[in-house]
Amino acid sequence: MAGKFVVFKGKDGQDYFRLKAGNGDVILSSEGYKSKKACANGIESVRKNAGDESRFEVKTAKDGRTYFILKASNGREIGRSQMYKSGSGCRNGMKSVATNAANATVVEE
């Protein structure tokens, strides 16, 4: 089953997206956008940048879990992952984003 971008309106009135893997797990979440058009541009930026390993930055949270941030060519954050208990889980998450983003459909909730 292919991945999908799920677009939704947040409680703050902004538009967001989540990239879900084929199994339904959320693998990347966006920050808020002021318009649907800006949100769509964010999705296209994920498609464009997810195939480039250098666009991923791995971080460690205070509790020791890891997560990653996907950045655009200008250095701005496009999205971030869930928390992972291991570095290998985090790396698998990055691979999943790279694999799923290119052909993921876009659906609205």
Side-chain angles (χ1 to χ4, degrees):
M1 198 165 151
K4 64 182 175 180
F5 286 99
V6 178
V7 177
F8 64 97
K9 185 79 70 179
K11 290 179 183 175
D12 60 2
Q14 294 191 84
D15 294 292
Y16 295 82
F17 66 82
R18 290 186 187 112
L19 176 57
K20 292 186 176 186
N23 64 4
D25 286 349
V26 175
I27 53 177
L28 191 74
S29 298
S30 76
E31 295 184 337
Y33 292 93
K34 292 183 179 173
S35 69
K36 280 190 178 184
K37 183 172 177 19
C39 189
N41 288 342
I43 290 170
E44 288 310 309
S45 187
V46 170
R47 291 187 200 279
K48 179 180 174 184
N49 291 286
D52 184 345
E53 282 185 38
S54 70
R55 299 281 190 246
F56 290 93
E57 183 177 339
V58 176
K59 301 273 196 173
T60 303
K62 291 178 183 175
D63 65 4
R65 294 183 299 167
T66 58
Y67 64 100
F68 61 84
I69 296 171
L70 176 62
K71 293 185 174 185
S73 58
N74 63 5
R76 292 195 58 188
E77 179 177 328
I78 309 167
R80 64 179 53 208
S81 72
Q82 63 183 4
M83 294 291 184
Y84 295 93
K85 293 178 183 173
S86 69
S88 63
C90 188
R91 286 188 297 279
N92 287 340
M94 290 186 290
K95 288 178 188 172
S96 184
V97 169
T99 301
N100 283 281
N103 298 313
T105 58
V106 178
V107 298
E108 290 194 33
E109 275 190 349

